[in-house]
Structures are given as structure tokens and as C-alpha cells.
Amino acid sequence: MLKVGLTGGIGSGKTTVCKVFRSLGIHVYDADSQAKQLMNFEPLVKSQLMATFGEDVFQGDQLNRTMLAKLVFNDEQKLAALNAIVHPAVGRDFESWLNGYRAEKYIIKEAAIMFESGSHKSCDVIIGVVADNETRIERVMSRGGQTREEVISRMNNQMDQDELQARVDYVIDNNGQMALIPQVLHLHDIFLSEQ
Ligand code: ATP
């Protein structure tokens, strides 16, 4: 089974591209959503978070994400401590998720931060989804909930798109001029034929 990583910055279109792969019957592991689930529900992760950031980061059973975000904001050591808890937990969760799909020709692991988290090491090939910064900003703003400044701030904390393009094996251009479905079908054929 081929393990395909799929990454891209905020608003590049990862979720949209994954929807097309899902419509072809491909199973997608959403690393960002799983990380949130694990932080809320996985006993070991919860106890590590409380030991590192204090019991107050949980209100009852619920992780106070705003408080945690404030604690790690502009504090590299605390951010590294958070990543050292969450990234290995996602790695373990992905490995056990894989067990349900061993018979598949290929699966996709979607993650906004793939190289920064070391997640790429668990994949055989990587797809990068790219779009111009202005297109990404406008799409995220029209999706709702985030201001231009918030999107730019997130972009500045993520890998530069030129670097991302240089590191991935395949690029999906989501600027709007090239249709997504033929690009996905092309990669689908490649991954099926790589068996
Ligand atoms: P995030 O990292 O913030 O989760 P993402 O990379 O998963 O973002 P999407 O959620 O897929 O990106 O796309 C961002 C927004 O842009 C969504 O509202 C989506 O519907 C829209 N969008 C994505 N691709 C296109 C496209 N080719 N044409 C028009 N709108 C698009």
C-alpha cells in the first residue's frame, strides 16, 4: 500500500482536493482534525498536556484551546513541548488507523504542516496543493471566521510555498485556472499503477 501525504498552507485547498480523492473511494486520514480529537480524548495526551501546561488547560473534559494557544504564542520552548506531545500521538494514531486499510492500493494523509512536524517521514510520496497567497486569503475570508490579518499571520507561520513546492513529489495547482478533477485523476492513475 502506498502512503501518500497531502499538504499545503492555509486556504490552499487541501480539504477540497481530498474531497475529490474521497469521491474516488480513497480513504483520507485528516491529521489536523485527529490531533484535535487526541488532545481532547486520548488519556495519555491529556495527562501529558496537564503535566506540561497545568491542570487548568482542561475545563472538565474540554481542552481550553484559547488558553493553550496563548501559552505557546511567541514561546518557542512551550510550542516545542506541545509539538513533542501531539506529533508523536498523531504518528501512533495514524499507524493504528493504517491497520484498517492495509488492503487498499493507496491512502492519503492530509496535514497542513507535514515537513515541519516530521509527518512526511511516514509517507512514500507527497502532494503539495498550492495557490497564490491573495487567492488563499480571499477564499479563507469568504469561508468565514478569519480576518485578512489572521490568515496572513498563519501563512507567516507556515512553510513558504516555494520551499514546499521544491520538497514535494507532485504539485496540484489550485489557482482556479487549472481544473482540479483532471489533476486528481492524473495522480490517482499514477498511484494505482505504482503497485
Ligand atoms: P485550511 O488549511 O484552512 O483548512 P484548506 O487548505 O483545507 O484550508 P480548503 O478549505 O479546501 O483549504 O479551501 C479554502 C476555501 O476555498 C474553502 O472555502 C473552499 O471551498 C474554497 N476553494 C478551494 N478551492 C477552490 C477552487 N478551486 N475554487 C473556488 N473555491 C475554492
Side-chain angles (χ1 to χ4, degrees):
M1 182 233 288
L2 190 72
K3 288 175 257 172
V4 177
L6 186 144
T7 189
I10 180 168
S12 57
K14 297 177 293 297
T15 308
T16 308
V17 169
C18 283
K19 267 189 204 155
V20 184
F21 277 107
R22 284 181 205 269
S23 75
L24 296 169
I26 301 307
H27 298 280
V28 178
Y29 179 87
D30 179 343
D32 302 331
S33 308
Q34 279 306 115
K36 285 182 189 152
Q37 289 287 317
L38 292 167
M39 287 162 87
N40 264 320
F41 300 113
E42 216 269 321
L44 175 63
V45 175
K46 285 177 77 168
S47 67
Q48 288 175 324
L49 288 173
M50 281 192 263
T52 309
F53 298 102
E55 307 235 328
D56 291 352
V57 289
F58 280 89
Q59 282 162 347
D61 259 3
Q62 208 59 31
L63 176 66
N64 186 339
R65 299 189 68 83
T66 314
M67 182 181 184
L68 186 61
K70 276 189 191 146
L71 285 172
V72 300
F73 186 72
N74 279 342
D75 187 328
E76 274 184 29
Q77 264 187 334
K78 285 208 169 95
L79 181 61
L82 175 61
N83 287 338
I85 295 169
V86 177
H87 293 160
V90 172
R92 291 191 298 271
D93 186 63
F94 176 61
E95 288 305 318
S96 81
W97 179 89
L98 277 178
N99 285 329
Y101 300 103
R102 295 279 174 208
E104 300 297 325
K105 297 252 180 179
Y106 77 95
I107 56 84
I108 292 183
K109 181 184 197 181
E110 174 195 353
I113 48 165
M114 173 81 55
F115 296 104
E116 302 93 320
S117 66
S119 213
H120 64 293
K121 292 181 198 145
S122 61
C123 298
D124 302 306
V125 291
I126 312 277
I127 305 170
V129 183
V130 298
D132 295 338
N133 287 355
E134 192 52 39
T135 306
R136 292 163 59 195
I137 294 168
E138 278 164 20
R139 284 180 182 160
V140 174
M141 284 170 67
S142 46
R143 183 173 66 185
Q146 276 163 293
T147 63
R148 170 173 287 272
E149 290 66 35
E150 283 167 343
V151 184
I152 292 172
S153 157
R154 175 63 69 88
M155 276 178 168
N156 291 339
N157 280 317
Q158 293 178 333
M159 184 179 280
D160 176 77
Q161 279 201 135
D162 288 341
E163 188 183 348
L164 185 126
Q165 286 206 53
R167 294 187 67 172
V168 298
D169 302 289
Y170 303 98
V171 172
I172 290 186
D173 180 330
N174 189 26
N175 275 309
Q177 285 85 25
M178 284 175 77
L180 282 182
I181 292 173
Q183 295 186 73
V184 170
L185 287 175
H186 175 65
L187 293 180
H188 182 66
D189 285 346
I190 292 176
F191 300 148
L192 291 183
S193 68
E194 274 192 20
Q195 303 307 307

